[in-house]
Amino acid sequence: MKKIIAMLLAVMMLLGCIPAMAEAGTFTANAKTYMITSYKGTDENLVVPASVDGAPTPIIHDRALNGAKKAVTLSFEEGVTQIRSMNIASMDITKLTLPSTLEVIASNNIYPTDKLTEVTVPAAVSYVGTLSF
């Protein structure tokens, strides 16, 4: 009996040494409107795709990224053309990478933060909403 308990304790201690594997976050999209509508996950290095389940999603809908509270770096894939309101404002990121295909940064997006010190806005951007920088 003591051997079984000792063996179980040893296995439990070994399992405790294995780091938990982080599960990748998931994006929800509306294929009819070409928009990412939400994100759920704990990715620290978040990459926003230009398509979800094979459907193009060049538009990031209002507040779609509000579920990305743990993101430290944020980048958008080439093909994303619009970041609608209140997406990046909810994050405390250190690095932001915008795609060359980006055309619109809507209002209330990139609030000042001590951690994000530099952003390069692509030449294709033709509209930046109020209170975005």
Side-chain angles (χ1 to χ4, degrees), residues 47-51 57-58 75-81 97-102:
V47 178
V48 180
S51 65
T57 53
S75 59
F76 294 84
E77 285 185 354
E78 291 296 321
V80 172
T81 59
T97 305
L98 300 173
S100 63
T101 54
L102 188 64

Side-chain angles (χ1 to χ4, degrees), residues 7-21:
M7 196 135 150
L8 285 174
L9 286 173
V11 169
M12 289 173 55
M13 287 179 12
L14 285 173
L15 289 175
C17 293
I18 298 172
M21 294 182 65

Side-chain angles (χ1 to χ4, degrees), residues 76 78 83 88 96-100 102 105 110 119-122 133:
F76 294 84
E78 291 296 321
I83 303 171
I88 305 166
L96 173 63
T97 305
L98 300 173
S100 63
L102 188 64
I105 301 171
I110 306 166
V119 176
T120 301
V121 178
F133 289 97

Side-chain angles (χ1 to χ4, degrees), residues 68-86:
K69 303 290 186 202
K70 302 241 181 206
V72 176
T73 65
L74 175 64
S75 59
F76 294 84
E77 285 185 354
E78 291 296 321
V80 172
T81 59
Q82 293 183 32
I83 303 171
R84 299 238 173 128
S85 297
M86 301 295 292

